[in-house]
Amino acid sequence: METSTRVPGAVAALHAAIDALTNEVIHALRAQLPSYAVLSADQLRPRVTVSLRNGLALVQHWSGQGHHSAKGTVHGSGPAYNLPAYDVPACDLPTYDLPAGHLTEVTALARRVPVEDIISAYRIGSDIVWRRFGEEMAARQGTAEDLLPIAETLRAWAAATTLRIVRSCRADLQRRTVTDRRRAALVRALLLGEARWADTGADGRRREGELNGELEGELDGVFDRSALHLAFRARLPAPSGPDGPACSPAPTPAQHGPGHPDSADGALARTVDLLRPWLARDASGRPLVTTVDGEVAGLLAVRPEGLCRNLVVGLGAPAPASGLAQEFVRATQALRAAVGSGLVGVFTHEELGLRATVVALPDVGEQLVRLRLAPLAERGEDGAQLEEAVAAYLRQGMRLEAAARALYVHPNTLRNRLRRFEEITGTSLRDPADLAEVWWALTHRRIHGPAS
């Protein structure tokens, strides 16, 4: 059998079995690449089929020239790839490009899977196709001389295709990174009150200078000024201590590497995933989120439902663009109060009541700390033990037995410590006013930390 009939026959056999070949490639991709395993076969099938048909069409054209080998050009993006010449007369192959729309589809896929996995996917697919092609050629008594030029042709085409995809994905990633940073900057300007709003003129047009500096004129492209949104600030829950988690500063990228769950980018990704159904979005469908001092912040379309143990969220009231900064302050106070009280879930300033007021009035808290707790500081470890006793007593609803069990001490021991606390600080734990001031001082210290 002549090479001129062997190659077309092998290609025709693979074309006839394209569905089975596609399924085999998809199975291998999902088995070997975890990022592809989360994609359904239906999502992958169109892209895999197009790639297979394009590669087979190249070989089919090569064999149609009537030569065992060829010297030609397969274009990707950038310089052409020259195919090697052999002992038989050479001919020029036409340019083989990616089908229309295929590069866009692969670039979109790169937003969900790493680019290196896409490259690996082409290698895996090429290996399977080449093995199946070799089997078909062997069944037709094909020789190594028949296969060598075809292998070189396919390698050059695969290299050009991969290079173009990598360049396209890299350019797309750079564009999206710049856009995401711009969007985050605009959201941050809204939340922090850095956007300056001007009145609308009698003709209904906006006046100049609506936004500060380089932000001017860019907001309308990503945000509807008249829509009501809920400003939020969120944090992933921290392990609780006996007094609940302290409201310590959020981790920064310097403390944890990029991608770490507790780094700024890791926390952003996890928080966005948890809040995804309720996030407000821009015209392109991207969430309106940013980070403020290492914590995730942004805008919600509606209040989250069913969010329990996975996130702590401070929430502002629905407001237009001009009122978001004020509501973000209240959302921040709600978050601080919730974290300092060991709570998880979604809370507004009003829902946290006096806890949020402790956050909003730090000067009052400092005065009460000096009045009710400062005398204990002079007694060192003994004073700290007395403060711990009162904190446990209040935490357990002023139930002596329960507080003693929480501290692993006898009730009489706890009773003695509470009495000494009253003597040293001049406080009566039976006086509601004194009791409220002690609670405020303890809560202030837990939320704001010790005075510097």
Tab-separated table of all heavy atoms in Angstrom, residues 404-429:
chain	number	residue	atom	x	y	z
A	404	ALA	N	-17.350	29.295	88.019
A	404	ALA	CA	-16.299	28.538	88.708
A	404	ALA	C	-15.878	27.333	87.880
A	404	ALA	O	-14.685	27.015	87.787
A	404	ALA	CB	-16.798	28.108	90.092
A	405	ARG	N	-16.856	26.639	87.281
A	405	ARG	CA	-16.507	25.488	86.440
A	405	ARG	C	-15.693	25.926	85.227
A	405	ARG	O	-14.751	25.233	84.821
A	405	ARG	CB	-17.786	24.785	85.974
A	405	ARG	CG	-18.459	23.950	87.051
A	405	ARG	CD	-19.488	23.005	86.462
A	405	ARG	NE	-20.547	23.731	85.760
A	405	ARG	CZ	-21.657	24.152	86.337
A	405	ARG	NH1	-21.858	23.931	87.641
A	405	ARG	NH2	-22.577	24.800	85.635
A	406	ALA	N	-16.044	27.066	84.641
A	406	ALA	CA	-15.307	27.557	83.472
A	406	ALA	C	-13.858	27.888	83.823
A	406	ALA	O	-12.957	27.742	82.983
A	406	ALA	CB	-16.003	28.793	82.896
A	407	LEU	N	-13.632	28.319	85.084
A	407	LEU	CA	-12.275	28.672	85.516
A	407	LEU	C	-11.549	27.517	86.197
A	407	LEU	O	-10.378	27.656	86.576
A	407	LEU	CB	-12.333	29.858	86.482
A	407	LEU	CG	-12.799	31.200	85.890
A	407	LEU	CD1	-12.972	32.229	86.994
A	407	LEU	CD2	-11.811	31.696	84.842
A	408	TYR	N	-12.251	26.390	86.374
A	408	TYR	CA	-11.681	25.220	87.049
A	408	TYR	C	-11.244	25.550	88.482
A	408	TYR	O	-10.154	25.172	88.932
A	408	TYR	CB	-10.480	24.656	86.261
A	408	TYR	CG	-10.841	24.233	84.863
A	408	TYR	CD1	-10.538	25.056	83.782
A	408	TYR	CD2	-11.494	23.024	84.622
A	408	TYR	CE1	-10.863	24.688	82.494
A	408	TYR	CE2	-11.841	22.652	83.327
A	408	TYR	CZ	-11.530	23.481	82.273
A	408	TYR	OH	-11.869	23.110	81.006
A	409	VAL	N	-12.108	26.296	89.184
A	409	VAL	CA	-11.827	26.616	90.586
A	409	VAL	C	-13.077	26.302	91.413
A	409	VAL	O	-14.182	26.135	90.884
A	409	VAL	CB	-11.446	28.110	90.769
A	409	VAL	CG1	-10.187	28.435	89.971
A	409	VAL	CG2	-12.593	29.030	90.355
A	410	HIS	N	-12.896	26.257	92.730
A	410	HIS	CA	-14.022	26.029	93.635
A	410	HIS	C	-14.873	27.306	93.684
A	410	HIS	O	-14.344	28.423	93.617
A	410	HIS	CB	-13.503	25.682	95.034
A	410	HIS	CG	-14.567	25.161	95.947
A	410	HIS	ND1	-15.413	26.000	96.650
A	410	HIS	CD2	-14.923	23.882	96.280
A	410	HIS	CE1	-16.243	25.268	97.372
A	410	HIS	NE2	-15.965	23.979	97.168
A	411	PRO	N	-16.197	27.185	93.826
A	411	PRO	CA	-17.049	28.386	93.915
A	411	PRO	C	-16.623	29.344	95.012
A	411	PRO	O	-16.722	30.570	94.835
A	411	PRO	CB	-18.433	27.804	94.177
A	411	PRO	CG	-18.401	26.445	93.536
A	411	PRO	CD	-17.010	25.952	93.752
A	412	ASN	N	-16.151	28.819	96.144
A	412	ASN	CA	-15.696	29.708	97.216
A	412	ASN	C	-14.475	30.513	96.790
A	412	ASN	O	-14.311	31.675	97.193
A	412	ASN	CB	-15.385	28.914	98.476
A	412	ASN	CG	-16.651	28.410	99.151
A	412	ASN	OD1	-17.742	28.954	98.923
A	412	ASN	ND2	-16.522	27.374	99.971
A	413	THR	N	-13.598	29.873	95.993
A	413	THR	CA	-12.425	30.584	95.487
A	413	THR	C	-12.857	31.732	94.594
A	413	THR	O	-12.337	32.851	94.695
A	413	THR	CB	-11.515	29.618	94.705
A	413	THR	OG1	-11.113	28.551	95.566
A	413	THR	CG2	-10.295	30.342	94.161
A	414	LEU	N	-13.810	31.467	93.712
A	414	LEU	CA	-14.292	32.513	92.823
A	414	LEU	C	-14.993	33.610	93.626
A	414	LEU	O	-14.804	34.801	93.353
A	414	LEU	CB	-15.253	31.917	91.794
A	414	LEU	CG	-15.906	32.924	90.842
A	414	LEU	CD1	-14.853	33.711	90.059
A	414	LEU	CD2	-16.868	32.224	89.896
A	415	ARG	N	-15.767	33.215	94.619
A	415	ARG	CA	-16.471	34.198	95.436
A	415	ARG	C	-15.468	35.122	96.118
A	415	ARG	O	-15.671	36.351	96.202
A	415	ARG	CB	-17.327	33.455	96.478
A	415	ARG	CG	-18.260	34.379	97.255
A	415	ARG	CD	-19.144	33.581	98.195
A	415	ARG	NE	-20.185	32.826	97.482
A	415	ARG	CZ	-20.186	31.511	97.333
A	415	ARG	NH1	-19.202	30.771	97.842
A	415	ARG	NH2	-21.172	30.918	96.688
A	416	ASN	N	-14.367	34.566	96.588
A	416	ASN	CA	-13.334	35.366	97.247
A	416	ASN	C	-12.673	36.335	96.249
A	416	ASN	O	-12.393	37.497	96.590
A	416	ASN	CB	-12.290	34.437	97.856
A	416	ASN	CG	-11.190	35.202	98.568
A	416	ASN	OD1	-11.440	35.986	99.488
A	416	ASN	ND2	-9.953	34.985	98.133
A	417	ARG	N	-12.443	35.868	95.021
A	417	ARG	CA	-11.814	36.739	94.031
A	417	ARG	C	-12.732	37.890	93.639
A	417	ARG	O	-12.282	39.030	93.429
A	417	ARG	CB	-11.434	35.919	92.789
A	417	ARG	CG	-10.296	34.941	93.031
A	417	ARG	CD	-9.983	34.107	91.788
A	417	ARG	NE	-8.924	33.147	92.064
A	417	ARG	CZ	-8.481	32.235	91.195
A	417	ARG	NH1	-9.030	32.171	89.989
A	417	ARG	NH2	-7.523	31.400	91.536
A	418	LEU	N	-14.009	37.625	93.517
A	418	LEU	CA	-14.948	38.690	93.178
A	418	LEU	C	-15.014	39.738	94.293
A	418	LEU	O	-15.104	40.947	94.027
A	418	LEU	CB	-16.343	38.100	92.928
A	418	LEU	CG	-16.479	37.167	91.716
A	418	LEU	CD1	-17.904	36.620	91.628
A	418	LEU	CD2	-16.106	37.887	90.435
A	419	ARG	N	-14.963	39.263	95.554
A	419	ARG	CA	-14.981	40.194	96.675
A	419	ARG	C	-13.742	41.088	96.653
A	419	ARG	O	-13.833	42.298	96.858
A	419	ARG	CB	-15.045	39.415	97.990
A	419	ARG	CG	-15.031	40.310	99.241
A	419	ARG	CD	-15.004	39.460	100.491
A	419	ARG	NE	-13.880	38.521	100.506
A	419	ARG	CZ	-12.617	38.882	100.789
A	419	ARG	NH1	-12.334	40.146	101.059
A	419	ARG	NH2	-11.671	37.962	100.800
A	420	ARG	N	-12.570	40.492	96.382
A	420	ARG	CA	-11.331	41.275	96.332
A	420	ARG	C	-11.362	42.266	95.166
A	420	ARG	O	-10.835	43.375	95.265
A	420	ARG	CB	-10.140	40.340	96.205
A	420	ARG	CG	-9.909	39.492	97.461
A	420	ARG	CD	-8.743	38.540	97.260
A	420	ARG	NE	-7.521	39.282	96.959
A	420	ARG	CZ	-6.564	38.831	96.138
A	420	ARG	NH1	-6.708	37.670	95.533
A	420	ARG	NH2	-5.492	39.554	95.935
A	421	PHE	N	-11.947	41.861	94.036
A	421	PHE	CA	-12.092	42.778	92.899
A	421	PHE	C	-12.895	44.016	93.321
A	421	PHE	O	-12.512	45.154	93.003
A	421	PHE	CB	-12.788	42.073	91.723
A	421	PHE	CG	-13.121	42.982	90.576
A	421	PHE	CD1	-12.198	43.232	89.568
A	421	PHE	CD2	-14.363	43.608	90.486
A	421	PHE	CE1	-12.498	44.083	88.517
A	421	PHE	CE2	-14.670	44.458	89.436
A	421	PHE	CZ	-13.735	44.695	88.444
A	422	GLU	N	-13.978	43.799	94.054
A	422	GLU	CA	-14.802	44.915	94.497
A	422	GLU	C	-14.027	45.834	95.428
A	422	GLU	O	-14.106	47.069	95.318
A	422	GLU	CB	-16.057	44.401	95.193
A	422	GLU	CG	-17.053	43.721	94.251
A	422	GLU	CD	-18.270	43.215	94.986
A	422	GLU	OE1	-18.102	42.561	96.035
A	422	GLU	OE2	-19.402	43.460	94.520
A	423	GLU	N	-13.262	45.252	96.339
A	423	GLU	CA	-12.510	46.058	97.308
A	423	GLU	C	-11.439	46.903	96.620
A	423	GLU	O	-11.252	48.083	96.929
A	423	GLU	CB	-11.865	45.140	98.341
A	423	GLU	CG	-12.866	44.448	99.257
A	423	GLU	CD	-12.183	43.441	100.165
A	423	GLU	OE1	-10.958	43.196	99.965
A	423	GLU	OE2	-12.846	42.898	101.062
A	424	ILE	N	-10.706	46.290	95.687
A	424	ILE	CA	-9.579	46.975	95.049
A	424	ILE	C	-10.047	48.067	94.095
A	424	ILE	O	-9.446	49.155	94.014
A	424	ILE	CB	-8.685	45.956	94.316
A	424	ILE	CG1	-8.032	45.004	95.325
A	424	ILE	CG2	-7.631	46.657	93.458
A	424	ILE	CD1	-7.325	43.829	94.699
A	425	THR	N	-11.124	47.812	93.357
A	425	THR	CA	-11.577	48.758	92.330
A	425	THR	C	-12.668	49.703	92.822
A	425	THR	O	-13.038	50.640	92.102
A	425	THR	CB	-12.113	48.000	91.097
A	425	THR	OG1	-13.245	47.199	91.497
A	425	THR	CG2	-11.043	47.101	90.507
A	426	GLY	N	-13.188	49.477	94.026
A	426	GLY	CA	-14.271	50.303	94.526
A	426	GLY	C	-15.559	50.096	93.754
A	426	GLY	O	-16.354	51.024	93.571
A	427	THR	N	-15.767	48.871	93.285
A	427	THR	CA	-16.923	48.529	92.466
A	427	THR	C	-17.868	47.623	93.233
A	427	THR	O	-17.427	46.759	93.994
A	427	THR	CB	-16.466	47.802	91.173
A	427	THR	OG1	-15.634	48.678	90.420
A	427	THR	CG2	-17.658	47.378	90.317
A	428	SER	N	-19.142	47.808	93.013
A	428	SER	CA	-20.140	46.899	93.553
A	428	SER	C	-20.751	46.110	92.404
A	428	SER	O	-21.404	46.691	91.525
A	428	SER	CB	-21.243	47.652	94.301
A	428	SER	OG	-22.287	46.763	94.647
A	429	LEU	N	-20.532	44.802	92.381
A	429	LEU	CA	-21.081	43.969	91.322
A	429	LEU	C	-22.581	43.750	91.483
A	429	LEU	O	-23.205	43.084	90.656
A	429	LEU	CB	-20.355	42.617	91.282
A	429	LEU	CG	-18.864	42.698	90.934
A	429	LEU	CD1	-18.239	41.314	90.964
A	429	LEU	CD2	-18.647	43.344	89.579
